[in-house]
Amino acid sequence: MTRTTTYPTQAVVLAGGQGSRLRPYTDDRPKPMVEIPGTGTPIIGHQLSWLAAEGVTDAVISCGHLAGVLQEWLDTADLPLHVTTVVEGEPLGRGGGLKYAAAHLPDPQSPWYATNGDIWTRFSLQDMAAFHDERDATATLALARPRIPWGAVETDTFGHITDFIESPPSPYLINAGVYVFSAAFTGLLPDLGDHERTTFPRLARERRLAGFPLPQGAYWRAIDTAKDLSEAAKELAAARG
């Protein structure tokens, strides 16, 4: 029998980080409110447009640092989907914060996406949801292979340098900060603490955690530093050119 995938229409965006490595950009705004140079749109705006294009109709945004700035922008922006904001009364940790935000999703019995608020990417979330469904996973992580920020050196077995490679792809896959979760996942999250040290390892041992490699050529960047902002702007200009 052919399995029918139910594509999520709801998502959580984790947007509470302080973004200390992006200062001074984050002195007066949370990291998701930093604009990608040349776009006039903050990171969160790009994310919401992408989610809407992938069939998401409802998003819950978990706010923290300078939450009022983000909420004010959301109140005045022309958004492509329905948005609810939540603010933790006290720090709950990454897992607790995710659980708190998920409690405000419109349909707790359906699967959902989640993304970190500093990720700028484009790929098919529906393909990822189908991958998740085919593996009967409880949670699926998008996996990226970022470029190493340094030049690499290749040598032969005798120790002679044979080549220099500028910013090669990492040999390791990393958590890309984009997820598909089954409805049951919410109940496995801690009320307080970090799910990446508790829930994810448990699911991995039980073979219920899947990893979806980003498709070849898919754009992905985590905006952590001023250099990431400038690189994103250059890549955007090159794509438009």
Side-chain angles (χ1 to χ4, degrees), residues 16-97:
Q18 294 192 10
S20 56
R21 289 192 292 166
L22 260 176
R23 288 177 177 157
Y25 297 100
T26 51
D27 284 345
D28 62 352
R29 68 195 64 194
K31 183 157 61 165
M33 279 300 298
V34 174
E35 292 184 2
I36 304 292
T39 70
T41 302
I43 300 168
I44 189 75
H46 293 284
Q47 288 187 319
L48 294 176
S49 293
W50 172 53
L51 290 171
E54 290 294 322
V56 174
T57 59
D58 294 86
V60 176
I61 301 180
S62 178
C63 308
H65 174 64
L66 297 174
V69 177
L70 176 52
Q71 290 171 320
E72 182 179 351
W73 181 82
L74 291 169
D75 287 342
T76 58
D78 183 16
L79 301 175
L81 40 63
H82 179 265
V83 169
T84 302
T85 60
V86 297
V87 182
E88 298 170 23
E90 58 185 36
L92 300 175
R94 289 191 296 178

Side-chain angles (χ1 to χ4, degrees), residues 139-194:
T140 297
L141 288 61
L143 303 177
R145 195 181 297 277
R147 291 194 170 274
I148 298 172
W150 308 283
V153 177
E154 287 190 345
T155 64
D156 62 19
T157 55
F158 193 65
H160 291 119
I161 292 175
T162 58
D163 202 0
F164 295 90
I165 305 173
E166 188 64 30
S167 298
S170 168
Y172 298 102
L173 292 165
I174 67 164
N175 180 350
V178 180
Y179 312 90
V180 181
F181 296 136
S182 299
F185 177 77
T186 309
L188 302 177
L189 286 165
D191 294 323
L192 183 68
D194 188 350

